[in-house]
Amino acid sequence: MLAREAFAHLKQDLVRQYQTAYPHFQGTLADFRQQDIAQLQALLMEKVQGRVSEKWFYTHLKGKPQDKLPRIDMLNLLARFVGADSWAAYAGQVAAKSKPSVHTSNWPRWWWLVPVLLIILGWRWAMWEQPMDLYLQFVDALRQVPITETNVQVQVVTPDQQTELFFSNEQGQVILPEVADVVTIYTQAAYYLPDTLQLRPQTEEHLVALQSDDYALMIHYFSTAKVEDWKRRREQLDQAFADEAVIYQLDPQGQLGMDMLNKQEFINKLTIPINSLRNVKVWKTRYAAGQIVELRFSVD
């Protein structure tokens, strides 16, 4: 109860701090609109160099009170934003204010630590082994924008080797529900290099940056753009592919194999006008020593 009471006070102080920058706002966190959330995110970044995602805001600040408190790092972030050194210090201040005055000189000097310790222990109990959502936002590592032009495939492997497959939504997000322990995820997306990550569950946002697959993008560009320097195009493709590369042409859904080409056959089809491939979609690339050794593609 003490921890939840302190968190309720923290939300009130959060509004008061927001009003110092935007005095026209006279509501509560429940009245925050999307613009208010964005402005609060900017203030957090400016003052304490941290952020909360919009989903986290709706879950913990704008929505109905939760049975469990947010993660301690987020509590520390908000406590520092309203002027405290940490969540423990802020909770102690709240507990001290609500404590009835004691008229005795024999009360131990460290009495104020007791409610703080109770709050911390209560928070630890509430969070102990509780499943939490794992919220992933995939962004392009170079451009730092959400990956929305292609679906990111996420294979999740739990510590007991259970696997499950997820796909990103139109905003480049994946929400893995009720994750209770560290999981390993394997990512795969058209025109991005695969990646392997180990993540801990948390309700705030994991920002996952994927590196673009430059050779795959180049192949797609060559098949869609009007390029007149055929010699240079062939030289670039020759550099991109290993001599022993195996290239599969799939059906438009990327499921069934229709043809298998070697390096020279593929380069000829992509660069000789009468034989050219158009609108190539790259489904998968595999690399060795910086060159493509396997390519799977289709033609739209």
Side-chain angles (χ1 to χ4, degrees):
M1 290 300 293
L2 289 173
R4 284 197 289 269
E5 180 183 349
F7 186 54
H9 280 276
L10 180 60
K11 291 196 287 186
Q12 295 172 6
D13 284 343
L14 189 63
V15 173
R16 283 191 280 269
Q17 187 66 35
Y18 177 75
Q19 288 172 331
T20 62
Y22 299 97
H24 65 278
F25 181 82
Q26 296 300 316
T28 67
L29 289 173
D31 301 312
F32 264 51
R33 300 167 299 173
Q34 192 169 20
Q35 180 181 352
D36 297 309
I37 297 173
Q39 290 172 166
L40 177 62
Q41 289 172 324
L43 288 174
L44 284 166
M45 183 59 68
E46 177 184 348
K47 187 172 182 180
V48 292
Q49 292 74 54
R51 70 184 300 274
V52 297
S53 68
E54 187 172 329
K55 177 182 181 293
W56 191 94
F57 182 93
Y58 276 98
T59 300
H60 294 287
L61 299 180
K62 186 177 173 71
K64 294 180 180 179
Q66 302 291 307
D67 292 334
K68 53 190 178 185
L69 291 179
R71 282 164 44 100
I72 189 65
D73 57 336
M74 301 303 292
L75 293 172
N76 284 333
L77 178 75
L78 297 181
R80 288 190 290 112
F81 180 68
V82 300
D85 291 334
S86 65
W87 163 246
Y90 179 86
Q93 293 170 9
V94 173
K97 290 178 181 178
S98 60
K99 184 79 174 179
S101 58
V102 179
H103 301 287
T104 175
S105 59
N106 295 323
W107 195 262
R109 293 183 179 180
W110 45 265
W111 68 269
W112 61 272
L113 286 174
V114 175
V116 175
L117 291 172
L118 289 175
I119 289 171
I120 295 174
L121 290 173
W123 176 84
R124 293 295 298 174
W125 176 84
M127 298 295 292
W128 184 261
E129 294 296 329
Q130 292 290 326
M132 303 175 72
D133 290 350
L134 192 60
Y135 182 70
L136 311 177
Q137 173 67 66
F138 290 95
V139 298
D140 184 291
L142 180 62
R143 296 178 292 147
Q144 287 297 302
V145 296
I147 297 174
T148 58
E149 65 273 9
T150 184
N151 283 336
V152 180
Q153 176 182 300
V154 178
Q155 182 182 16
V156 180
V157 182
T158 61
D160 58 358
Q161 298 304 305
Q162 297 293 316
T163 64
E164 194 169 357
L165 201 61
F166 297 85
F167 293 89
S168 62
N169 59 22
E170 294 179 352
Q171 289 75 45
Q173 303 163 347
V174 173
I175 300 177
L176 310 180
E178 295 188 351
V179 177
D181 204 345
V182 178
V183 296
T184 302
I185 69 169
Y186 301 92
T187 68
Q188 185 173 327
Y191 308 111
Y192 287 91
L193 297 176
D195 202 357
T196 302
L197 302 166
Q198 286 193 321
L199 300 175
R200 293 183 178 275
Q202 58 186 59
T203 52
E204 69 266 26
E205 180 179 277
H206 273 293
L207 207 62
V208 182
L210 299 182
Q211 298 288 340
S212 61
D213 188 339
D214 294 335
Y215 280 159
L217 287 170
M218 180 184 73
I219 292 167
H220 176 69
Y221 169 75
F222 281 172
S223 72
T224 56
K226 184 178 180 180
V227 181
E228 298 180 357
D229 191 346
W230 298 96
K231 180 180 178 181
R232 176 172 172 77
R233 178 187 290 193
R234 292 179 67 88
E235 290 174 351
Q236 290 173 315
L237 290 169
D238 185 68
Q239 180 182 359
F241 284 90
D243 291 337
E244 67 277 11
V246 180
I247 302 163
Y248 301 92
Q249 182 174 352
L250 310 178
D251 64 36
Q253 284 73 44
Q255 301 296 320
L256 302 175
M258 298 173 58
D259 198 5
M260 185 170 69
L261 309 171
N262 61 33
K263 170 181 175 176
Q264 202 57 49
E265 288 172 334
F266 180 77
I267 292 176
N268 288 340
K269 282 181 174 289
L270 199 62
T271 58
I272 298 176
I274 60 174
N275 239 356
S276 61
L277 296 170
R278 295 298 180 200
N279 298 319
V280 169
K281 179 177 182 180
V282 177
W283 289 91
K284 179 182 178 182
T285 54
R286 186 165 60 86
Y287 288 85
Q291 289 184 304
I292 299 173
V293 294
E294 181 183 340
L295 174 72
R296 294 176 183 265
F297 77 95
S298 63
V299 177
D300 292 340

